[in-house]
Amino acid sequence: MSARRRLSGWLKGGALVLSGLVVVVLVAFAFGKIAATFGVYDLTRDAGFADHHPPPPDPRSEEELESLRRFPRDAVALQPLIDATPTGGVLHLTPGIYAAPGILNRPMRVEGEPGVILDGGGVGSIMTVTADDVQVIGLTFRNSGERHESTDAAVRLRGKHGIFRDNAIEDCLFGFELKQSDMNIIRRNRISSKDLPEALRGDAIRVWYSSGNRIEDNDIVRVRDVVVWYSKENTIDGNRIRDSRYGIHLMYAHQNSMHRNAFLANTVGVFLMYANDNVIADNVIQYSQGPSGIGIGFKESSGARIEHNDVFANARGLFMDASPYDPESHNVFKANRFAYNGVAVAFHSGWEGNAFEDNAFFGNHAQAMVGGGGSAQRNIWSGNFWDSYDGFDRNHDGAGDTPYRVWTWADRLWMDVPDAQFFRGAPSLEMIDLVERLGSLTEPRLVLSDPAPRIAADADAGVRGWPVKEVLQ
């Protein structure tokens, strides 16, 4: 009888264990499907859903729009004040609420004291600038419309050589919308969108067919993206962008530069799609988490120089998809610091044409992975520091005596089978990995080899001159 009870107990225990495994597998499968549905592929596919062409004009008449706007009783109409300002003159606004819209079709300067609010009445855009040499300084834009098809914005910019600085944009769907507007300065503005889900917010700054603009020192919070399309030679420096979808998204945009920007807790820090010859240097990109989390992403982009960036605590520090797309071009990654990422460098496939030199890799869960069972060996890896390197430097020349190599063992499971990423870092997978390393029954795959790895990280790696360097030491 006791033997029968023991057998019954074992059967029940086995059934419970089997049921638990089935539940774990089902949960992992569900997580994999969610990641596949809302992951990087849908993110990149969705990126230009309405941006290959300029938005159509609002089909509503101005009379209809005006009838829909609602303002406080003491609001003062803005347009008569603009009309009364001479060409090249200054419109100085005292504290109060001013009713939009306002159209600037002549060169002038509009400035405001603290407490000046331009209210959009909840319909359409607040200010439209069609003239060159316009300055807008020290104003608060609030309460634009919320229609994406008409790109309801705080400022719709169609002129050139303008200066837009020290403004605050609140509760506006889009911030600055530039269309065929060159050589403008957008500096020291505070920009946020409407309180909507991430994908339904507007862009803080949208640059469309506009070149030579300077976007500097802006504080951007809880918007959708900062986007640059079909535009070249724009400078994006010193901005702070957080809690948004794309920090900066370039599409068909060439020869632009991004320096000293800080990206915090965005879904993606910087993404280049079909964008060539761009420079990304001295930026801090951190905490891009979730299934779509990427620090810096590439899709079919060539000729980029990625230098002295700090990329840390992202799901994927760097994501490469078919880049460089031009077979005669290279992407150069030099003196960057990839720290504490889930995967430091993730290749969508075994592509070639990238050079990784003098970078520092600290504390990443995985240094590199390649989708589809490929290898990153066709890229150049030279003089990088790897914290997991276990070689020696017997001649004290600063380089390891043996190459640094990344092999795939049991981690091939989560690299090759997306649904298995649920188990990444689990004790069971770590045990399988250890057993395979001790006595492998299959040949591991070589992912990359650095022939002369650094023994110590280059002191100049990462952002130059920012306090973040000391934080990451």
Side-chain angles (χ1 to χ4, degrees):
M1 185 66 69
S2 60
R4 184 174 298 174
R5 282 201 200 94
R6 285 198 300 270
L7 179 60
S8 176
W10 291 340
L11 290 174
K12 289 180 181 178
L16 287 173
V17 171
L18 184 60
S19 300
L21 288 175
V22 169
V23 170
V24 169
V25 169
L26 289 174
V27 170
F29 181 77
F31 269 83
K33 290 302 180 184
I34 292 171
T37 302
F38 300 104
V40 64
Y41 306 111
D42 279 338
L43 190 68
T44 57
R45 183 189 64 191
D46 176 63
F49 71 96
D51 303 305
H52 292 285
H53 303 284
D58 196 317
R60 297 170 294 180
S61 66
E62 185 56 40
E63 291 76 13
E64 182 182 357
L65 293 174
E66 189 61 34
S67 68
L68 295 172
R69 293 188 176 101
R70 297 292 181 266
F71 301 104
R73 290 186 177 181
D74 58 346
V76 177
L78 177 63
Q79 190 61 49
L81 301 176
I82 294 173
D83 295 339
T85 303
T87 300
V90 177
L91 172 57
H92 183 85
L93 300 176
T94 56
I97 298 176
Y98 296 83
I103 300 175
L104 297 165
N105 54 17
R106 295 173 291 119
M108 68 177 63
R109 174 187 174 116
V110 181
E111 62 182 23
E113 299 176 11
V116 170
I117 298 173
L118 273 56
D119 192 316
V123 177
S125 295
I126 297 176
M127 179 178 284
T128 300
V129 180
T130 60
D132 299 342
D133 302 307
V134 167
Q135 298 185 40
V136 176
I137 300 170
L139 309 180
T140 295
F141 296 83
R142 185 177 294 169
N143 194 23
S144 77
E146 53 186 24
R147 293 180 62 154
H148 280 266
E149 66 272 24
S150 54
T151 320
D152 292 346
V155 179
R156 301 174 73 228
L157 181 53
R158 305 294 184 264
K160 301 178 181 179
H161 304 287
I163 298 175
F164 304 84
R165 62 175 175 84
D166 301 306
N167 302 289
I169 297 176
E170 306 167 352
D171 192 32
C172 293
L173 187 63
F174 291 80
F176 291 93
E177 190 242 333
L178 284 69
K179 177 183 172 185
Q180 295 178 311
S181 299
D182 303 332
M183 308 298 290
N184 295 286
I185 296 174
I186 299 175
R187 179 181 293 156
R188 289 196 305 274
N189 301 285
R190 293 183 291 109
I191 307 172
S192 60
S193 185
K194 289 185 174 292
D195 187 16
L196 294 168
E198 183 179 85
L200 299 180
R201 302 173 200 156
D203 303 323
I205 302 173
R206 169 179 287 202
V207 181
W208 192 88
Y209 266 115
S210 303
S211 299
N213 298 285
R214 300 188 65 87
I215 301 170
E216 302 172 336
D217 300 320
N218 299 285
D219 282 304
I220 298 170
V221 180
R222 291 186 59 80
V223 299
R224 186 173 63 178
D225 311 324
V226 172
V227 292
V228 181
W229 282 291
Y230 309 103
S231 304
K232 65 179 182 178
E233 297 176 356
N234 295 285
T235 300
I236 307 173
D237 285 2
N239 302 282
R240 293 157 295 280
I241 305 172
R242 62 184 176 88
D243 296 323
S244 302
R245 187 176 68 170
Y246 286 93
I248 297 176
H249 180 208
L250 273 60
M251 179 180 282
Y252 299 105
H254 313 308
Q255 301 171 17
N256 300 282
S257 67
M258 290 150 277
H259 293 82
R260 297 180 64 80
N261 301 286
F263 304 89
L264 174 64
N266 305 291
T267 304
V268 176
V270 181
F271 207 98
L272 281 63
M273 296 181 70
Y274 324 115
N276 301 326
D277 304 317
N278 295 289
V279 176
I280 303 174
D282 292 295
N283 301 282
V284 178
I285 305 170
Q286 54 186 331
Y287 304 129
S288 293
Q289 298 289 345
S292 304
I294 296 172
I296 303 174
F298 280 72
K299 182 175 178 62
E300 298 181 23
S301 298
S302 310
R305 293 196 63 86
I306 314 299
E307 301 176 335
H308 292 283
N309 300 284
D310 271 306
V311 183
F312 63 94
N314 304 286
R316 281 157 289 189
L318 176 65
F319 175 79
M320 305 294 295
D321 182 3
S323 298
Y325 198 65
D326 182 352
E328 297 183 354
S329 181
H330 292 81
N331 293 315
V332 176
F333 301 85
K334 187 176 180 65
N336 302 285
R337 182 161 41 182
F338 296 92
Y340 314 116
N341 301 285
V343 178
V345 183
F347 290 87
H348 180 258
S349 61
W351 209 259
E352 63 179 333
N354 300 288
F356 295 83
E357 302 171 343
D358 302 323
N359 301 286
F361 293 85
F362 291 93
N364 301 292
H365 183 274
Q367 306 288 26
M369 67 164 286
V370 183
S375 171
Q377 274 290 86
R378 296 194 294 167
N379 299 281
I380 297 171
W381 304 87
S382 176
N384 302 286
F385 170 78
W386 310 87
D387 66 342
S388 53
Y389 178 63
D390 54 7
F392 298 94
D393 178 21
R394 289 175 294 184
N395 59 359
H396 304 291
D397 64 351
D401 299 328
T402 56
Y404 173 79
R405 294 188 174 97
V406 175
W407 301 88
T408 58
W409 301 88
D411 43 14
R412 279 180 294 182
L413 292 173
W414 63 263
M415 290 184 182
D416 296 343
V417 182
D419 292 352
Q421 292 192 29
F422 177 77
F423 297 100
R424 190 177 71 179
S428 57
L429 192 59
E430 295 293 329
M431 179 61 69
I432 295 172
D433 188 79
L434 175 62
V435 171
E436 187 171 9
R437 289 172 186 267
L438 292 174
S440 178
L441 299 177
T442 60
E443 182 179 356
R445 184 172 68 239
L446 180 62
V447 175
L448 68 86
S449 177
D450 188 337
R454 287 178 175 270
I455 292 297
D458 186 350
D460 201 33
V463 171
R464 293 166 290 193
W466 274 24
V468 71
K469 292 185 71 69
E470 285 68 39
V471 173
L472 290 178
Q473 289 291 354

